[in-house]
Amino acid sequence: MPMQPWFPDAKLGVFIHYGVYAVGGAAESWSFYTGEMTHEQYMKQLEGFTASKYDPNAWAELFARIGARYAVLTTKHHDGVALWDTDHRSLDVVRDTPAGRDLVTGFVDALRERGLKVGLYYSHSDWNHPDYPSIRHVRPGEPPSLYSHAEPGKEDPAAWERYLAYRDGQVGELMDRFRPDLLWFDGEWERTEEQWRMDELAELILAGNPDAVLNARMLSHGDYATPEQGTPLQAPEGPWELCLTINDSWSYRPQDRDFKSVRQLVRYFTETIGMGGNLLLGAGPREDGTIPEEQIERLEGLGAWIGRHTDAVYGTVAGLPAGHHYGPSTLSADRRTLYLICFDAPRDNVSLRGLRNEVKRVTVLGTGTELGHHVTGGLDTVPGVTWIDAPAAADLDEYATVLAVELEGELDLYRGTGRD
């Protein structure tokens, strides 16, 4: 299926990890799986999850304000606690927490009211479901866990069939009730594609919404790659998205104060879109549903930069390969305008190498100031270097300055080794 056109032009999404793990500031479901806390301590968090200030409209207003085009909510993490009123239940916040209500419907409705695309996260794995640890698929060198794998000689195919019926029932509910634009799966590493019955699951999803976009953790049925926590040095083939935390944690962890600065987030964002990807930036609300102020501040800072430079963001494709410009760049969809991103203040000139086109005009995006430019060198088919005058201090952006280079014709680059 061809990629839905909204996705590669979305550029920015927000990834919300919200669940009972926020009560104790735990590392999502991993905290009991790895022994950060006991399983009993983890499950006791159910008693403290109130969602007392949960306001999905405030979330959606924030997402729209910062320029995000979609958001993804963890409807069920590896702990198996569903955030909606599921008929295929193991654990859910409606019956098992003081929150006592469905939290997904409001999220979906609030996003749609603002024209944002709806993404729902769902974990294939469920470390609390009694039928889940009933077969084995352990990666080499990885020890089995009582939460995820059957003990040697104790596989139970019938239990695994029950688990798949439970999973399919929940995913079917998400499709029937919410018709998400995107499904963000996780937990796929614990089983093979055959064990997961991915073919059947994909059929179920696409029957509910044939336009649904699926991430790569649907394995061979994924529509786009999902690198995590680190910008790739080479863009994955096809559509892709970098998922990244604002500090070092996906969920609310008050002890984690290692927040990325707005400047760093602008850098992550521009490097990602400069290679043709989207940035899915994580935020972890408190158990009451409020997003911490430090995270809002950084989301708004990134959004303000985007607002000043929308032409270089939306309606663009990947820019120049490495070496042509010392920084990221994007290219307008008609391939006639280059947007050069400069993280540091240019001291003399900005150089652009390998450009065969004549340059019609160069302006500073956001201020409109026109900059001088000229070409030096070049021989036969090897073009010279285009030098762009450095913008004045008044034209510099606090985080990253963008130069719009208008070209004669569509971008034409020289990629050779030079004349001998």
Side-chain angles (χ1 to χ4, degrees):
M1 184 182 72
M3 170 55 75
Q4 296 301 307
W6 71 263
F7 182 83
D9 196 44
K11 307 304 181 185
L12 180 65
V14 180
F15 203 177
I16 297 288
H17 278 65
Y18 187 41
V20 299
Y21 35 80
V23 173
E28 309 99 44
S29 315
W30 289 99
S31 51
F32 75 82
Y33 190 89
T34 61
E36 178 185 333
M37 61 172 59
T38 67
H39 185 262
E40 181 181 6
Q41 290 170 327
Y42 185 91
M43 299 309 291
K44 194 166 181 59
Q45 292 178 111
L46 289 165
E47 301 172 10
F49 186 73
T50 66
S52 58
K53 298 180 181 178
Y54 173 58
D55 184 355
N57 286 301
W59 286 7
E61 191 278 329
L62 170 65
F63 305 158
R65 188 169 73 246
I66 68 172
R69 297 291 177 86
Y70 66 111
V72 179
L73 173 67
T74 51
T75 65
K76 191 211 75 169
H77 207 264
H78 313 316
D79 61 7
V81 182
L83 296 193
W84 76 99
D85 187 8
T86 176
D87 294 332
H88 303 270
R89 74 179 240 94
S90 173
L91 292 163
D92 63 67
V93 298
V94 180
R95 300 168 183 85
D96 300 308
T97 76
R101 65 193 189 281
D102 160 37
L103 303 179
V104 178
T105 299
F107 174 85
V108 171
D109 291 346
L111 262 59
R112 293 220 161 105
E113 285 175 13
R114 289 159 182 80
L116 303 178
K117 297 296 185 181
V118 173
L120 301 180
Y121 167 111
Y122 185 88
S123 172
H124 292 292
S125 55
D126 185 334
W127 297 331
N128 266 315
H129 196 286
D131 291 326
Y132 183 67
S134 53
I135 60 171
R136 293 176 59 77
H137 174 64
V138 182
R139 291 182 290 187
E142 180 181 297
S145 165
L146 63 90
Y147 299 113
S148 56
H149 300 102
E151 296 179 10
K154 293 188 178 180
E155 292 195 352
D156 187 344
W160 183 243
E161 291 297 324
R162 292 195 299 270
Y163 179 76
L164 291 178
Y166 154 81
R167 181 209 58 183
D168 291 350
Q170 288 199 326
V171 173
E173 281 182 337
L174 294 177
M175 297 309 301
D176 292 342
R177 297 186 192 180
F178 307 115
R179 196 176 169 83
D181 303 289
L182 182 150
L183 276 171
W184 211 104
F185 284 96
D186 201 6
E188 83 296 339
W189 66 87
E190 291 192 332
R191 301 286 187 265
T192 65
E193 182 152 357
E194 294 72 24
Q195 287 173 320
W196 285 127
R197 309 265 177 85
M198 288 298 193
D199 290 350
E200 291 87 341
L201 181 60
E203 287 180 11
L204 182 155
I205 293 167
L206 297 177
N209 181 7
D211 295 329
V213 175
L214 309 178
N215 74 333
R217 300 176 195 196
M218 272 293 290
L219 301 177
S220 69
H221 294 279
D223 296 311
Y224 70 94
T226 314
E228 182 172 344
Q229 291 288 53
T231 310
L233 295 179
Q234 291 186 340
E237 290 187 15
W240 65 282
E241 160 198 86
L242 169 65
C243 56
L244 182 78
T245 52
I246 291 178
N247 50 8
D248 291 330
S249 306
W250 288 112
S251 58
Y252 174 62
R253 302 205 78 188
Q255 68 272 35
D256 180 1
R257 307 298 300 172
D258 191 18
F259 293 104
K260 298 172 182 68
S261 66
V262 173
R263 189 182 307 278
Q264 288 172 322
L265 292 175
V266 167
R267 192 164 192 138
Y268 273 110
F269 177 67
T270 55
E271 288 175 343
T272 298
I273 67 171
M275 290 194 290
N278 292 346
L279 178 63
L280 183 63
L281 190 55
R286 304 179 183 93
E287 68 80 18
D288 65 6
T290 57
I291 299 173
E293 292 73 18
E294 299 92 339
Q295 297 185 20
I296 292 176
E297 176 187 341
R298 284 155 176 83
L299 289 168
E300 290 180 333
L302 174 60
W305 185 90
I306 292 172
R308 296 191 295 272
H309 303 95
T310 54
D311 287 349
V313 177
Y314 306 114
T316 65
V317 296
L320 299 167
H324 290 273
H325 162 62
Y326 292 101
S329 61
T330 59
L331 179 64
S332 61
D334 66 6
R335 304 185 64 81
R336 291 172 180 266
T337 304
L338 268 172
Y339 298 100
L340 307 180
I341 296 152
C342 305
F343 295 128
D344 301 310
R347 297 202 287 182
D348 184 14
N349 299 101
V350 174
S351 66
L352 184 52
R353 303 192 299 168
L355 183 66
R356 287 195 175 111
N357 306 72
E358 288 188 22
V359 173
K360 294 167 60 176
R361 190 168 74 128
V362 181
T363 55
V364 181
L365 202 60
T367 69
T369 300
E370 189 164 345
L371 303 176
H373 57 89
H374 68 284
V375 178
T376 62
L379 180 62
D380 295 335
T381 60
V382 182
V385 176
T386 300
W387 299 96
I388 301 168
D389 294 347
D395 289 309
L396 297 176
D397 186 86
E398 181 181 2
Y399 302 121
T401 303
V402 180
L403 309 183
V405 182
E406 299 174 33
L407 307 173
E408 290 283 0
E410 296 185 10
L411 176 67
D412 184 9
L413 287 181
Y414 173 77
R415 298 285 290 161
T417 58
R419 187 178 188 277
D420 292 335

